[in-house]
Amino acid sequence: MTITFITGANKGLGYETARRLVELGHTVLLGARDAGRGAAAAEALGARFVRIDVTDDESVAAAAADVERHEGRVDVLINNAGIPGTYGSTSVTDIREVLDVNVVGVVRATEAFLPLLRRSADPVVVNVSSGMGSLAATHDPARAESKAVFPAYTSSKAALTMLTTQYAKAMPDIRINAADPGYTATDFNGHSGPQTVTEGTDAVVALATEGPGHGSGRFVDRDGDIAF
């Protein structure tokens, strides 16, 4: 049985990822900051709720300790938790807050869960990044990513994709990749994206289930590997 931990999974892409992986037979540990919403989401899906706030060291450590007590290992860690920040804002406060969740939060969770991942026969980390952090996409006038002005969010996702490639080099015993969901209808964009949440989770689910023998340090969308 594959044991999968997903951060920020009480709604949107995280919830849909959890739903799909439960259907595929994974034991899903649904991580969320809000205990009420997280527990309700987990009950609806047949997952187990684990409270985690990726901005809080103690909360992350407690989540890892909880999983160690109950499951003893993690096979797949999906770093999904993220926030968009404020449109057009270049304020220190906004950028610091977004980076703390979208980048440092991933580091906190990954570092805390490393001992549990290394107990797996095939450990996997999937970081949910975005084409909004792609230098190629944000400079292509034909793409939606080039129209948006989210300095904090785009910078955080560029950093997350690079962090993924560096983690993959530093930890060759773990398959670590980044997924680009694409422009998906979620709370992040007022449900304006043309993709459904199911389409938006295609790359995440593919990376979480592809099995041994695939590469690490990749940036992947629904159609496969893409250039950063």
Side-chain angles (χ1 to χ4, degrees):
M1 183 74 71
T2 301
I3 300 170
T4 300
F5 191 99
I6 310 171
T7 66
N10 64 289
K11 64 178 182 177
L13 292 170
Y15 183 90
E16 179 65 6
T17 299
R19 183 192 70 78
R20 293 179 68 178
L21 292 178
V22 167
E23 285 192 351
L24 290 172
H26 286 220
T27 295
V28 172
L29 309 178
L30 189 151
R33 180 175 56 182
D34 186 289
R37 293 176 182 175
E43 183 177 4
L45 294 177
R48 184 171 84 82
F49 169 63
V50 179
R51 186 183 180 279
I52 184 170
D53 178 351
V54 299
T55 67
D56 184 276
D57 291 344
E58 291 185 1
S59 173
V60 174
D66 179 280
V67 175
E68 182 171 22
R69 283 193 304 272
H70 289 88
E71 287 78 23
R73 75 173 198 277
V74 168
D75 299 298
V76 181
L77 171 64
I78 300 177
N79 287 308
N80 170 78
I83 59 174
T86 303
Y87 187 88
S89 174
T90 59
S91 75
V92 170
T93 299
D94 193 54
I95 291 175
R96 180 184 290 121
E97 181 180 16
V98 172
L99 290 174
D100 194 30
V101 176
N102 296 3
V103 182
V104 182
V106 170
V107 175
R108 287 190 186 96
T110 303
E111 292 296 313
F113 280 84
L114 274 177
L116 297 169
L117 284 161
R118 288 191 164 124
R119 294 176 187 171
S120 170
D122 181 33
V124 172
V125 175
V126 181
N127 293 329
V128 181
S129 190
S130 171
M132 291 280 285
S134 164
L135 302 182
T138 54
H139 284 84
D140 183 349
R143 296 190 57 132
E145 291 93 338
S146 69
K147 310 297 191 296
V149 184
F150 278 93
Y153 183 76
T154 54
S155 298
S156 74
K157 292 304 184 179
L160 179 57
T161 302
M162 182 56 72
L163 180 69
T164 301
T165 67
Q166 293 298 302
Y167 263 21
K169 293 177 181 179
M171 303 175 191
D173 56 323
I174 301 174
R175 194 163 65 255
I176 304 175
N177 292 298
D180 172 21
Y183 192 11
T184 303
T186 66
D187 288 350
F188 266 38
N189 51 46
H191 296 272
S192 63
Q195 291 186 165
T196 65
V197 286
T198 301
E199 292 171 324
T201 55
D202 281 349
V204 181
V205 172
L207 288 170
T209 59
E210 63 185 2
H214 293 80
S216 193
R218 296 147 54 206
F219 183 38
V220 178
D221 67 4
R222 292 183 69 206
D223 299 318
D225 293 19
I226 55 177
F228 177 62

